[in-house]
Amino acid sequence: MIQLKGLTKRYGTFTAVDAINLDVPHGQLFGFLGPNGAGKTTTLRMIAGILRPTAGTVHINGIDVAKDPTAAKAVLGYIPDRPFIYEKLTGAEFLRFVAGLYGQDGPVIERRMTELLTLFDLLEWRDELVESYSHGMRQKLIISSAFLHKPKVIVVDEPMVGLDPKAARILKDLFREYTKRGHTIMMSTHTLEVAETVCDRVAIIQGGRIRAAGTMDELYESVGAGAKGLEELFLRLTGENAARELVEVLDA
Ligand code: ATP
């Protein structure tokens, strides 16, 4: 469960995230959408406890991230959009290293590593250095590392970027099955099809503020009749007029 109350991040006089209130209950797959620069990554980094809010609170399964960061991080898996990864470790060493951060090792972790690497077609690469991995392979390794200790809550920033169609499908199925088992996932994405097909609820953020939140049906209802497809719904909710801007660029 993730609870945000008045969550705010300012950089000088600029407000990147503006007093967000959001509840993501147990067992929900929650999509976080918004245009470039809307505040998605900033929000997710505050939830993960790696960026200090200017104001407001984050609770993960009832634990205040600011007051008890170690306890909060123990139940959390975070998949950043631009992950840092040690190039000189093999895939297996990297996963063991991450498991160690959560105080876990031994046969259970080894078995889970094998399961996750098999799922993502990486098993034969387990003993190769990460520096030889492609972008998509690194992404799959990072995703595997977040699932290793079976965290109650996963926060994931743009997980589909760089994945081939098979891996994207596997990841969507993994997210769905994981939340069906009572875990919570909050995911930012620009892939509207992913939001529509797998998320239980979504929120749309723009200019640091939540513009709309609910199920896809509720969002369609909120804009009234006539929104054809998710792309148009998104553009209406964020007040963007891509077609007009395109004509202005071409005619300038
Ligand atoms: P995208 O979809 O492009 O990844 P986003 O919704 O994840 O965008 P953020 O990365 O959260 O957006 O950025 C929100 C705003 O905060 C942007 O205007 C960005 O320029 C600004 N911002 C982020 N980090 C900093 C920083 N360290 N200093 C100043 N401004 C920042």
Side-chain angles (χ1 to χ4, degrees):
M1 185 172 64
I2 303 170
Q3 283 178 309
L4 312 181
K5 286 212 178 80
L7 192 64
T8 301
K9 183 68 188 179
R10 285 189 209 101
Y11 293 106
T13 54
F14 175 72
T15 304
V17 174
D18 196 0
I20 284 183
N21 297 307
L22 213 56
D23 272 3
V24 183
H26 288 299
Q28 196 160 88
L29 179 42
F30 190 85
F32 201 36
L33 315 180
N36 291 134
K40 300 178 298 295
T41 296
T42 307
T43 303
L44 297 184
R45 295 184 77 208
M46 288 193 283
I47 297 172
I50 55 174
L51 189 65
R52 195 189 298 271
T54 310
T57 55
V58 177
H59 285 83
I60 307 281
N61 278 10
I63 306 163
D64 187 325
V65 172
K67 289 194 176 133
D68 199 349
T70 308
K73 283 173 190 168
V75 295
L76 186 80
Y78 173 54
I79 307 173
D81 59 342
R82 273 169 291 172
F84 174 78
I85 187 158
Y86 293 102
E87 303 273 328
K88 296 295 179 192
L89 295 181
T90 66
E93 285 168 346
F94 176 74
L95 292 180
R96 283 192 201 104
F97 167 75
V98 173
L101 296 176
Y102 291 96
Q104 296 191 15
D105 58 10
V108 173
I109 283 296
E110 293 296 318
R111 197 172 58 243
R112 194 148 170 79
M113 257 171 57
T114 304
E115 285 165 5
L116 285 161
L117 292 172
T118 305
L119 182 68
F120 285 116
D121 282 335
L122 281 180
L123 195 60
E124 62 189 271
W125 289 84
R126 61 180 285 155
D127 297 320
E128 302 294 332
L129 292 182
V130 168
E131 66 183 9
S132 67
Y133 284 28
S134 70
H135 175 72
M137 289 160 71
R138 285 165 194 241
Q139 181 71 357
K140 293 192 281 189
L141 187 68
I142 291 285
I143 291 165
S144 301
S145 75
F147 279 91
L148 206 52
H149 68 293
K150 291 197 179 169
K152 298 254 188 291
V153 176
I154 290 185
V155 174
V156 45
D157 203 353
E158 277 290 335
M160 302 297 168
V161 174
L163 295 185
D164 63 33
K166 182 183 171 195
R169 176 60 191 269
I170 290 169
L171 189 59
K172 284 193 272 184
D173 290 347
L174 181 63
F175 282 172
R176 277 250 59 92
E177 289 303 316
Y178 203 65
T179 48
K180 265 191 205 162
R181 285 161 177 73
H183 301 95
T184 309
I185 297 179
M186 181 165 174
M187 159 177 72
S188 79
T189 184
H190 287 299
T191 317
L192 300 178
E193 176 268 335
V194 171
E196 184 147 49
T197 54
V198 303
C199 292
D200 299 305
R201 276 170 69 229
V202 302
I204 295 180
I205 182 173
Q206 187 187 30
R209 294 198 177 155
I210 303 287
R211 300 289 164 182
T215 62
M216 292 309 306
D217 286 345
E218 286 166 352
L219 294 195
Y220 277 114
E221 246 170 60
S222 74
V223 295
K228 289 181 228 80
L230 188 59
E231 186 179 73
E232 196 181 325
L233 172 71
F234 178 83
L235 294 174
R236 281 195 189 192
L237 286 170
T238 54
E240 312 235 340
N241 192 336
R244 192 195 62 220
E245 282 156 15
L246 181 64
V247 169
E248 279 169 6
V249 168
L250 292 176
D251 291 347

